[in-house]
Amino acid sequence: MTEQVTRATFDEVMFPNYAPSAIIPVRGEGSRVWDQEGKEYIDFAGGIAVTALGHSHPTLVNVMREQAGQLWHLANIMTNEPALRLAKKLTEKTFADRVFFCNSGGEANEAAFKLARRYAFDHFGPEKNEIISFYQSFHGRTLFTVSVGGQPKYKEGFEPTPKGITHCHFNDIEELKSLISDKTCAVVMEPIQGEGGIIPADKTFAKQVRELCDQHNALLVYDEVQSGVGRSGTFFAYEQLGVTPDILTSAKALGNGFPVAAMIAKDNVAQSFVFGTHGSTYGGNPMACAIAEAVIDIITTPEVLDGVNKRHDLFVEGLNAINEKYHVFKDIRGMGLLMGAEVVEQFAGNAKAFLTAAAEEGLFVLVAGPNVIRFAPSLIIPEEDIKEGLARLDRAIAKVLAN
Ligand SMILES: *Cc1c(COP(=O)(O)O)cnc(C)c1O
């Protein structure tokens, strides 16, 4: 028998680490979602940049059904065909030669930071262990990743945290010059900071970071968990920065909602994860890899990637038109379909008010920090859904202003 559950059930039986909205979605199709009451929403959130091909994409549903009838899991004492095919595709379409699979962005970053230290240990000795990352960055919720992440609130009360980590202001090359040394084993960055407020790296900054890493034999780690898999308008955002990292992490959109993540690297770096150094029970399981393979096949087509840039323009146009009416945004920025609208002083600290009002109007949006409304819709969201969603956003903003 299926038990009746409501939002109130959450407060009874779930850990209080989340504060979910009152809406409980039960079904999704493309960029539309329906809740328990049958109310319809347009999805500009994509489950935080995850459902890059929308909900219930027919190809993905078929691939999943087929794989489910064949083979779910083996553990890494054996390899499997979907994992090998997916790894081949990832290496063919990127700078990387080798792939390590895991299940979430945090795990991929955990692996990347461990690999950076191990590589430095192997080639330069144990003294070279320092990691530099950036304020406001987000890399996951494991103890190592909250320590490398640049938001102190995520590690408060969980100390002692791993040592040898320093933070630098994003896009400030002079500060990075003063922090980096021959003890630095890695510099870690998001090509566009997601949780930190949709802040793209300057191209010149990105190039200079690469040069500094080379001068000090430090590895450059790109966290593309949010920016990757087509979201930026290219397969990965590094392609547009004209910089090649040494290690890159991918998750979120990689499985379109099925948990799967990857760390990819050049062969010489990957060699430091010799047999027995790292692992994961579920990492590289055939279900996840079959789905991710299909995701990549669809997303790396020119139609989808070019479509991202077309849709970006539609969003920017629409957001500018809304802003001409209401003057609520002081900046509209982002890459591809990872966009942010920073609210004016009057609403500083309260971007969430727009999210709440949007949901009432039948629209999912996100925030990125206290001041930015974030949009991360499906990369193939139909034009009419963009138009309708923006109309709902317009009404939501009018409501917030009327209060
Ligand atoms: C979401 C995110 C993570 C964490 O991914 P999980 O799958 O939640 O562990 C790490 N880095 C970035 C840039 C992210 O956006």
Side-chain angles (χ1 to χ4, degrees):
M1 202 186 91
T2 314
E3 279 202 52
Q4 278 296 316
V5 285
T6 66
R7 174 60 181 80
T9 317
F10 183 94
D11 295 332
E12 289 161 22
V13 298
M14 300 284 265
F15 268 54
N17 60 312
Y18 302 117
S21 95
I23 303 157
I24 300 186
V26 293
R27 186 169 71 85
E29 202 182 308
S31 286
R32 307 235 174 185
V33 172
W34 291 267
D35 71 11
Q36 284 180 319
E37 271 73 53
K39 178 172 168 177
E40 179 227 67
Y41 302 84
I42 289 179
D43 189 1
F44 281 0
I48 318 193
V50 169
T51 49
L53 292 171
H55 302 277
S56 307
H57 189 287
T59 307
L60 298 183
V61 171
N62 279 338
V63 166
M64 189 179 193
R65 284 214 173 105
E66 205 159 289
Q67 188 61 43
Q70 281 183 9
L71 189 65
W72 288 27
H73 180 79
L74 288 164
N76 287 297
I77 44 174
M78 271 167 264
T79 190
N80 67 78
E81 290 182 353
L84 295 171
R85 283 199 306 264
L86 175 60
K88 272 200 134 187
K89 282 193 176 148
L90 281 167
T91 56
E92 278 161 17
K93 291 175 188 294
T94 66
F95 70 94
D97 305 311
R98 289 185 182 267
V99 179
F100 169 80
F101 289 121
C102 45
N103 316 288
S104 68
E107 267 179 78
N109 286 324
E110 182 83 19
F113 306 158
K114 281 180 72 179
L115 176 61
R117 282 206 171 149
R118 189 73 185 210
Y119 176 84
F121 176 88
D122 290 347
H123 294 270
F124 305 96
E127 297 287 294
K128 191 176 177 68
N129 59 42
E130 292 177 7
I131 294 173
I132 300 175
S133 81
F134 295 95
Y135 290 115
Q136 303 308 323
S137 67
F138 182 77
H139 300 298
R141 298 294 204 119
T142 68
L143 199 55
F144 202 173
T145 55
V146 292
S147 306
V148 173
Q151 302 191 40
K153 65 178 181 199
Y154 292 135
K155 55 186 180 194
E156 200 180 282
F158 297 116
E159 295 91 352
T161 49
K163 294 199 198 76
I165 298 159
T166 44
H167 295 95
C168 176
H169 288 91
F170 199 48
N171 285 327
D172 185 342
I173 199 66
E174 290 309 318
E175 188 181 358
L176 185 61
K177 276 183 196 162
S178 72
L179 293 174
I180 199 167
S181 77
D182 289 344
K183 284 192 174 174
T184 307
C185 71
V187 176
V188 179
M189 63 183 266
E190 296 162 84
I192 169 167
Q193 288 193 334
E195 303 305 305
I198 312 297
I199 305 176
D202 295 336
K203 264 193 183 173
T204 33
F205 174 76
K207 288 211 170 89
Q208 288 170 313
V209 173
R210 176 72 270 182
E211 286 163 17
L212 282 176
C213 285
D214 291 343
Q215 282 165 26
H216 294 278
N217 291 312
L219 296 179
L220 178 59
V221 180
Y222 267 21
D223 177 347
E224 292 229 31
V225 168
Q226 189 156 165
S227 59
V229 195
R231 180 130 320 261
S232 72
T234 46
F235 187 29
F236 286 103
Y238 78 84
E239 299 165 46
Q240 292 176 64
L241 287 176
V243 167
T244 305
D246 298 296
I247 303 174
L248 180 147
T249 55
S250 175
K252 289 203 164 96
L254 187 58
N256 202 65
F258 197 92
V260 56
M263 167 177 72
I264 65 175
K266 283 277 188 201
D267 186 47
N268 65 321
V269 175
Q271 289 305 333
S272 280
F273 263 8
V274 295
F275 178 70
T277 44
H278 195 62
S280 158
T281 293
Y282 293 131
N285 72 77
M287 279 297 287
C289 292
I291 293 163
E293 189 192 359
V295 168
I296 289 182
D297 283 345
I298 299 170
I299 282 181
T300 54
T301 56
E303 303 84 80
V304 172
L305 291 176
D306 294 346
V308 169
N309 295 314
K310 266 188 232 137
R311 288 169 175 82
H312 169 93
D313 294 343
L314 285 177
F315 264 95
V316 171
E317 245 171 65
L319 291 172
N320 278 324
I322 287 174
N323 208 28
E324 266 165 43
K325 257 165 96 178
Y326 302 112
H327 310 287
V328 282
F329 306 138
K330 69 173 182 192
D331 191 23
I332 295 163
R333 57 178 182 252
M335 272 173 106
L337 287 174
L338 182 55
M339 293 158 298
E342 185 169 354
V343 296
V344 292
E345 264 352 284
Q346 188 193 345
F347 298 103
N350 204 15
K352 186 119 199 272
F354 294 96
L355 180 151
T356 310
E360 279 165 21
E361 292 301 318
L363 174 71
F364 294 160
V365 297
L366 299 162
V367 292
N371 304 325
V372 177
I373 307 170
R374 171 173 37 168
F375 307 94
S378 159
L379 308 184
I380 54 171
I381 182 173
E383 251 185 73
E384 65 198 69
D385 288 5
I386 297 179
K387 281 206 187 110
E388 176 58 25
L390 287 168
R392 292 180 190 185
L393 182 66
D394 185 312
R395 292 201 290 275
I397 289 170
K399 254 195 183 167
V400 172
L401 288 172
N403 277 332

